[in-house]
Amino acid sequence: MRTYYPVLTIAGSDPSGGAGIQADIKTISAIGCYAMSAITAITAQNTTGVRAVMPVPTAMVAEQIDMVMTDIPPLAVKIGMLCSAEIASTVADSLDRYHPDNIVLDPVMLSSSGTSLLEREAIDIIVKRIFPITTLVTPNLDEARELTGENDPVKQIEILHEMGCRNVLITGGDSQATDFKTDILSTDGRKNLLELRADAVSTRNTHGTGCTLSSAVASYLAVGNSLTDSVRLAKLYVTNALKEGSFVSTGKGHGPLNHFFSPRRLKNFNPNRPKS
């Protein structure tokens, strides 16, 4: 029988659907893989910001991962919000137990509105136990600065490799550049640096961009692409999702990307329907 390309996301939940688990599932599905999830935290948030965060009990986090791994082993794993030291340790234990391939870590530390999403004590565990076993770590400029204490992306990459990362992608979507957004990919222990540029998209709808990019990389790895090709394809996917979502009004703050930007035909679709 034919099988799907299963991808597991381990992350927090966003009830407004733009980031976290919800963005991951949309991305994985849009690319053509089979999305599975283990929720690490429940958040109360929307496009205007994060109001509250409640970690999921560690035993339940472990059980979710165990049930997936023992029945539908993923071809790739995306890790997002880990919230606390206890949850980070639990996820590290699960990864040590099952040794999945193609682990992509998005070290979520701050929400786009500035809310802290990661306890300081969790950082040491992520660095010591998760960095060395990941295929790719994808911090944005602010996260890389928080992790390394450096502002220069090249120095950030050097320190992240020293901290145990095999491959690093510094994402530049949060930069102030208005012409291009540049990501820097470092592979093979900093031997190779590759700049990936894409047109900057003028839009307020950027909620969940980091979650989307890391999930896209994991999905492209799952279907058999090389790391470099997976990053290229993921950046192209995010750029298109930003463009196609730039003219869609969703919420009162920073709206989501358009994850399903490919043309769709909806029966009985009425764009002028009255709002409920």
Side-chain angles (χ1 to χ4, degrees), residues 205 237 240-248 256-262 264:
N205 297 331
Y237 171 83
N240 284 329
L242 282 167
K243 288 179 180 177
E244 296 300 324
S246 64
F247 50 83
V248 181
L257 291 64
N258 183 352
H259 294 90
F260 297 102
F261 55 79
S262 294
R264 291 171 295 167

Side-chain angles (χ1 to χ4, degrees), residues 13-243:
S13 171
D14 171 10
S16 68
I21 286 284
Q22 286 82 352
D24 296 341
I25 290 174
K26 292 175 184 178
T27 302
I28 294 165
S29 301
I31 290 172
C33 294
Y34 179 78
M36 306 177 292
S37 64
I39 298 176
T40 58
I42 299 171
T43 71
Q45 66 175 295
N46 56 26
T47 63
T48 66
V50 180
R51 179 179 296 175
V53 176
M54 183 176 71
V56 171
T58 55
M60 178 57 73
V61 174
E63 289 286 2
Q64 291 177 84
I65 298 172
D66 183 67
M67 293 300 282
V68 170
M69 291 289 187
T70 56
D71 187 38
I72 314 173
L75 295 173
V77 176
K78 174 265 172 78
I79 302 173
M81 179 182 177
L82 293 178
C83 191
S84 68
E86 293 78 12
I87 289 177
S89 292
T90 297
V91 171
D93 289 342
S94 296
L95 297 175
D96 287 342
R97 184 178 305 116
Y98 294 106
H99 303 288
D101 294 327
N102 300 317
I103 301 173
V104 178
L105 171 65
D106 177 14
V108 178
M109 304 179 76
L110 295 170
S111 70
S112 56
S113 61
T115 302
S116 176
L117 299 176
L118 183 68
E119 295 177 359
R120 295 296 309 178
E121 294 79 5
I123 296 176
D124 286 341
I125 294 169
I126 292 171
V127 170
K128 293 176 181 177
R129 299 194 59 192
I130 301 181
F131 272 11
I133 61 175
T134 56
T135 305
L136 181 68
V137 179
T138 66
N140 61 31
L141 292 169
D142 289 337
E143 291 161 345
R145 185 181 303 113
E146 185 73 18
L147 288 165
T148 66
E150 293 286 349
N151 291 315
D152 179 58
V154 175
K155 292 182 179 179
Q156 291 172 348
I157 286 170
E158 291 179 356
I159 294 174
L160 287 168
H161 281 302
E162 292 170 359
M163 294 168 76
C165 299
R166 286 182 288 164
N167 305 295
V168 178
L169 178 68
I170 304 292
T171 63
D174 293 333
S175 73
Q176 299 302 310
T178 57
D179 50 357
F180 297 101
K181 297 293 186 179
T182 303
D183 299 349
I184 302 177
L185 174 65
S186 174
T187 58
D188 298 328
R190 72 187 156 198
K191 293 179 182 178
N192 299 306
L193 288 181
L194 178 64
E195 288 193 354
L196 302 168
R197 297 201 308 176
D199 291 337
V201 180
S202 178
T203 177
R204 63 184 283 183
N205 297 331
T206 57
H207 186 51
T209 307
C211 306
T212 298
L213 178 66
S214 52
S215 294
V217 174
S219 299
Y220 286 119
L221 285 170
V223 299
N225 291 285
S226 69
L227 177 60
T228 300
D229 285 346
S230 294
V231 172
R232 289 182 186 276
L233 289 166
K235 187 169 179 60
L236 177 62
Y237 171 83
V238 169
T239 300
N240 284 329
L242 282 167
K243 288 179 180 177

